[in-house]
Amino acid sequence: MLKRVRKSVVRRVAAAAVTGALLATAVAATTGPVQAAGQNIIVNGGFEDGLSSWFVNNGNSTDGATLSPTTDAYAGSSAVLVTNRKTTGSGPMQDLSGKVQAGKTYAITARVKYENPNSPATKQFFATMHYGGSTYTNVGTVTVARGQWGLIQGTFTIPAGQSVTTARLFLETPWTSNPSSAPDTHLMDFKVDDVSVSEFTPSTTIEALGKNPGEGNPLISHKFGADGNAFVHDGRVYIYMTNDTQEYKPGPTGVSSTNTYASINTITVISSDDLMNWVDHGEIPVAGPNGVARYANNSWAPAMESKVVGGKEKFFLYFANNGGGSGVIVGDSPVGPWHDERGNLLITSATPGASNGINWLFDPGVFIDDDGQGYLVFGGGGDDGTRSAENTNHPKSTRVIRLGDDMISTNGSAEVIDAPLVFEAGHLFKRDGKYYYSYSSNFGFGGTVDPNGPPTGAIAYLMADSPMGPWTPETYKGIIFKNPGTYFGAGGNNHQSVFQLNGQYYFTYHAQTLNSRITGGATQGFRSPHLAKLDFNADGTIKEVRGDYKGVEQIRNLDPYRVIEAETIAWQQGIATKKIDGGSEEFGAQAPNLAVYDVDNGDWTSLAKVDFGTAGATGVTAKVRPLAAGGRIEVRLDGRNSPVVATIPVDAPLGEWTRLSAKLDGVKGVHDVYFTYAGPEGADLFEIDSWAFEAEQSSPEVKLTVTASSRCIGSSVYLAVTAVNDGDAPATVTLTTPYGSKTVTGVAPGKQAYQSFNTRAGQIGAGKVTVAGTATIGGKQVTTSYDAAYTAADCR
């Protein structure tokens, strides 16, 4: 934004300089909205009431023009035509005195067009604020082609010290000292329509392509999420995250101020059963005046477990109330509803063993052993200000404590964890009888870092024979993951969790990849969830994980013949999600229901590896809420620019939820499915609640998802075989391998048959297993067989 100074008729800033100083206000006419805006301050901005509230700019005595209504409008039935201009500043003006305020930011849009065949092929136009006297400020510009409507669109901030006693907006062409010498160039007639000025409200909708098709990381790209903690339940992994999006406040340039974490009091939840298509379950209102735990101010770094208490399975979500303590709320399912059963924080300075050397009582990590005993690790910090090597390498700032049988109380005293260079992000898990404590290392505290310990800002780990340790420097085994900056350029803090799904271990971490892609490289501390495989050596130590965008492979295909929440997304661009009334069709009446919204022309979402089967799909249905006439949903296969295989016209009554369908022909096999959205430019098109595909009738089959993998346990190779019952009836499943077979009866829908086969060899070649499922379908006994390949393995 640049001020122009007028002295009588003399303008002292050249148009070229003005153009260079305008930040991101000159945009193409097809660019969609980049921010949300409040009520239009301009009266009669579409000139549908003729010239009411408009007059010719009269800032200088030489200004003058004729305004007249015209039916050649960009939208609606009327616009304004400007003729007989005396100066370049002679254009339509409106008085905004008393409507705008100093220090506030505003969004401006206006449509302009000129048609004089003797004028240049392109022409620049300005929207300009006149604050009285000689103070003029260009607040928006566009260069438009002759005969076409151009869009002035941008934002501007009125300086805090600017007097707005007189504030008027007008449209003009670039200043020149003697416009009458070339009137076709400088004083051409032009038309104006759809002028708006409204207070700027930042939108958190992310328009950038934050996750490229084919990539697995970041897991989601329409919002942020940090400190991901994974919890597996009924074959689905749920990831609970610090909701960084609460701090995301992009300004007029689209860049947010730095994340301070201060306002974060909700937890974001996503889930998947295939590790590529992630469902957004929205935010849990944990802390603050509207939260479940109203005694808390913040909710950071969540941790999740479930346990049967009093004959009922309960779900326990632990959270950090900033650095001052940690709390817990209780749910009826992995996605709620949620309750407060304590009434106060679980971990405070009064907790036995919790004080004495701990800076922060945060980052709770929960673990339940095979005997049902629960444990909580917590704590962090430890900088005592001495800058000593001892304090840097052994701050002893984290703890482990037993939980009560109710999981919302503690039992006994917390014990010190003396992990080298420990800082935060404690996490506890078990594998093959060994216990692992992982954590994020500190950044030095000013002391000399021991080269025999972990590097700074990395995820390191200890191994012990008990959840209580003892956790000493002698149990240190190495690092799992270097700082994210090693792999993605943007560093910052580090946080992790470990989970097992279908016999494979996985590692969650966060990185500022989405933040970087939004800004073109800069970061402000907004983190996104990532996933990697976690593998082990023969002695139980962990192989180092490397961060990347590839992520992990999709472990099962997506079944399209059911209700699929529209917020189930592999890749997307331009959309946002929000909670709507009612329960989820897919996850039950008690689960929160979300919808995809802020859908503009050109936005899209997708589903990865959708298995339409050999019979194929005959149709697709969307539950939608139309918001503008002329919208449509286009279905494409295997690419967002691939040919359209079905189009759903969104032509139902505006504002009402309805189901709309389109036919499909010959869509068989496995495909990535892209939903691309089209409609009037600049309009909020519709909201989407769910998808469903209709199947071609075919011979009944027992639907199984079969996986096989070879792995090392000690020096022996084992084959792990899993078959998930994707059908609607219980099945008898027989797993057959070169090394034995196993039959599992009564495998319920959604459940799995699993067996690990000892090959009794240290090395095997690649091969395949066969799995047969038998079930009663439609009154008939049906058997279906599947093959699954496994890779060669050498455990010697």
Side-chain angles (χ1 to χ4, degrees):
M1 184 174 68
L2 181 66
K3 287 186 176 181
R4 294 185 311 163
V5 180
R6 291 188 183 185
K7 297 293 186 180
S8 184
V9 295
V10 180
R11 303 193 185 186
R12 299 179 180 243
V13 179
V18 174
T19 304
L22 283 163
L23 299 178
T25 55
V27 294
T30 57
T31 300
V34 294
Q35 72 281 319
Q39 184 177 359
N40 190 5
I41 295 170
I42 296 290
V43 176
N44 188 30
F47 300 93
E48 300 305 306
D49 293 330
L51 303 179
S52 176
S53 300
W54 292 95
F55 54 94
V56 177
N57 173 29
N58 55 12
N60 288 301
S61 59
T62 54
D63 291 335
T66 300
L67 305 183
S68 56
T70 175
T71 57
D72 181 18
Y74 175 80
S77 61
S78 184
V80 65
L81 172 64
V82 188
T83 58
N84 302 317
R85 296 199 299 145
K86 306 299 182 184
T87 64
T88 56
S90 299
M93 171 178 272
Q94 188 164 135
D95 189 354
L96 303 183
S97 302
K99 296 182 179 181
V100 294
Q101 299 178 38
K104 286 194 172 184
T105 300
Y106 296 89
I108 182 169
T109 61
R111 297 283 179 174
V112 292
K113 183 171 84 167
Y114 73 102
E115 298 167 301
N116 186 342
N118 298 319
S119 294
T122 63
K123 186 66 177 177
Q124 187 178 23
F125 288 83
F126 289 109
T128 302
M129 289 288 289
H130 181 204
Y131 297 111
S134 59
T135 305
Y136 293 80
T137 304
N138 298 129
V139 296
T141 187
V142 69
T143 297
V144 60
R146 182 176 57 235
Q148 297 182 15
W149 283 101
L151 172 63
I152 295 174
Q153 177 177 286
T155 57
F156 64 95
T157 301
I158 300 176
Q162 176 64 59
S163 171
V164 290
T165 304
T166 300
R168 304 194 296 180
L169 176 82
F170 65 98
L171 286 298
E172 62 175 337
T173 51
W175 170 81
T176 185
S177 60
N178 186 18
S180 60
S181 63
D184 289 333
T185 300
H186 304 299
L187 298 176
M188 74 281 287
D189 300 344
F190 67 93
K191 299 169 185 176
V192 178
D193 200 3
D194 290 355
V195 184
S196 72
V197 173
S198 51
E199 189 171 344
F200 173 83
T201 303
S203 169
T204 57
T205 299
I206 296 169
E207 303 292 344
L209 179 60
K211 180 182 181 182
N212 293 320
E215 293 178 343
N217 288 325
L219 303 184
I220 53 175
S221 60
H222 65 289
K223 59 170 61 174
F224 302 101
D227 309 323
N229 180 266
F231 169 69
V232 176
H233 191 263
D234 285 343
R236 174 174 289 270
V237 60
Y238 296 81
I239 298 182
Y240 301 81
M241 301 172 289
T242 305
N243 181 18
D244 277 11
T245 305
Q246 275 194 277
E247 285 269 323
Y248 183 57
K249 300 177 178 64
T253 63
V255 177
S256 177
S257 55
T258 300
N259 186 1
T260 68
Y261 321 123
S263 65
I264 300 175
N265 58 19
T266 61
I267 296 296
T268 296
V269 188
I270 61 174
S271 77
S272 178
D273 63 359
D274 62 28
L275 305 185
M276 187 62 75
N277 296 292
W278 291 92
V279 181
D280 183 358
H281 296 286
E283 281 66 47
I284 303 170
V286 177
N290 298 316
V292 177
R294 297 184 181 181
Y295 54 80
N297 295 317
N298 297 110
S299 55
W300 304 344
M304 180 71 175
E305 256 298 356
S306 71
K307 183 180 178 181
V308 175
V309 178
K312 176 185 177 182
E313 185 177 23
K314 294 185 176 183
F315 299 82
F316 300 92
L317 180 61
Y318 301 84
F319 64 93
N321 179 39
N322 53 66
S326 294
V328 57
I329 59 175
V330 183
D332 296 336
S333 80
V335 293
W338 301 95
H339 321 282
D340 173 26
E341 294 190 2
R342 260 195 70 89
N344 52 29
L345 292 171
L346 173 65
I347 300 296
T348 69
S349 59
T351 302
S355 57
N356 188 21
I358 296 183
N359 289 27
W360 304 317
L361 298 167
F362 70 175
D363 285 12
V366 64
F367 166 73
I368 299 178
D369 208 350
D370 298 335
D371 61 1
Q373 175 62 54
Y375 299 84
L376 197 75
V377 293
F378 64 92
D383 184 0
D384 66 3
T386 65
R387 305 176 69 86
S388 69
E390 177 64 21
N391 177 238
T392 293
N393 294 286
H394 300 284
K396 301 178 182 178
S397 60
T398 59
R399 301 286 188 271
V400 57
I401 194 169
R402 291 179 176 86
L403 290 169
D405 291 339
D406 59 5
M407 297 293 287
I408 61 171
S409 62
T410 60
N411 185 2
S413 180
E415 297 187 14
V416 172
I417 298 175
D418 187 4
L421 217 70
V422 70
F423 189 52
E424 59 184 353
H427 178 70
L428 191 62
F429 72 97
K430 182 181 182 180
R431 176 184 177 272
D432 290 347
K434 292 290 185 180
Y435 298 86
Y436 296 75
Y437 173 75
S438 64
Y439 62 95
S440 177
S441 60
N442 67 54
F443 291 87
F445 295 165
T448 301
V449 175
D450 185 349
N452 296 315
T456 59
I459 300 299
Y461 74 104
L462 315 179
M463 287 177 63
D465 294 322
S466 165
M468 299 298 289
W471 300 106
T472 64
E474 290 74 25
T475 64
Y476 171 71
K477 296 300 180 182
I479 67 167
I480 304 175
F481 182 70
K482 294 185 176 70
N483 191 268
T486 306
Y487 311 104
F488 303 108
N493 62 6
N494 215 346
H495 206 108
Q496 82 300 339
S497 76
V498 173
F499 69 95
Q500 185 182 24
L501 185 65
N502 290 353
Q504 172 66 49
Y505 283 86
Y506 296 93
F507 178 81
T508 71
Y509 63 97
H510 67 219
Q512 297 185 65
T513 46
L514 176 58
N515 191 178
S516 178
R517 282 176 167 174
I518 291 170
T519 62
T523 54
Q524 296 80 40
F526 296 97
R527 303 154 296 176
S528 294
H530 290 63
L531 199 57
K533 286 180 66 177
L534 189 68
D535 293 317
F536 296 81
N537 298 305
D539 62 357
T541 56
I542 299 173
K543 295 182 180 181
E544 184 178 339
V545 171
R546 301 182 183 278
D548 60 27
Y549 288 101
K550 181 180 178 181
V552 302
E553 296 297 325
Q554 186 169 336
I555 62 173
R556 61 185 295 185
N557 295 332
L558 188 146
D559 174 17
Y561 303 121
R562 57 183 176 86
V563 173
I564 303 168
E565 295 291 347
E567 61 275 13
T568 305
I569 297 170
W571 311 285
Q572 65 82 38
Q573 187 172 8
I575 63 91
T577 58
K578 68 176 182 180
K579 189 177 184 301
I580 60 175
D581 292 338
S584 166
E585 289 186 78
E586 182 177 359
F587 294 94
Q590 295 300 309
N593 189 26
L594 274 71
V596 169
Y597 85 110
D598 200 1
V599 178
D600 304 314
N601 182 55
D603 292 347
W604 55 275
T605 60
S606 65
L607 300 169
K609 293 185 179 179
V610 180
D611 189 355
F612 292 102
T614 56
T618 59
V620 57
T621 297
K623 183 180 179 182
V624 294
R625 180 172 174 257
L627 299 176
R632 63 187 185 276
I633 298 170
E634 299 165 337
V635 182
R636 305 170 191 261
L637 302 180
D638 303 318
R640 57 193 170 117
N641 296 314
S642 298
V644 175
V645 297
T647 298
I648 304 175
V650 184
D651 54 5
L654 301 185
E656 298 181 13
W657 284 104
T658 187
R659 296 183 191 274
L660 301 172
S661 301
K663 291 183 178 180
L664 288 169
D665 183 19
V667 178
K668 302 177 181 180
V670 179
H671 299 276
D672 295 335
V673 175
Y674 288 78
F675 303 100
T676 57
Y677 308 123
E681 191 68 47
D684 195 4
L685 300 178
F686 39 73
E687 298 172 356
I688 315 163
D689 188 11
S690 63
W691 308 108
F693 289 85
E694 291 75 50
E696 181 74 51
Q697 295 300 315
S698 60
S699 300
E701 61 180 14
V702 182
K703 295 181 180 179
L704 302 177
T705 297
V706 179
T707 58
S709 61
S710 52
R711 61 196 59 188
C712 297
I713 300 181
S715 59
S716 296
V717 180
Y718 280 72
L719 284 184
V721 184
T722 302
V724 179
N725 184 356
D726 294 328
D728 299 323
T732 296
V733 178
T734 299
L735 316 172
T736 303
T737 79
Y739 308 99
S741 64
K742 173 74 172 181
T743 297
V744 182
T745 61
V747 179
K751 301 297 184 179
Q752 65 182 31
Y754 170 80
Q755 182 65 33
S756 180
F757 297 91
N758 188 350
T759 70
R760 305 187 185 280
Q763 180 184 21
I764 65 169
K768 70 176 182 178
V769 303
T770 299
V771 176
T774 300
T776 301
I777 302 175
K780 297 181 180 180
Q781 189 177 74
V782 178
T783 298
T784 309
S785 294
Y786 298 83
D787 290 335
Y790 58 85
T791 59
D794 188 347
C795 302
R796 296 172 297 176

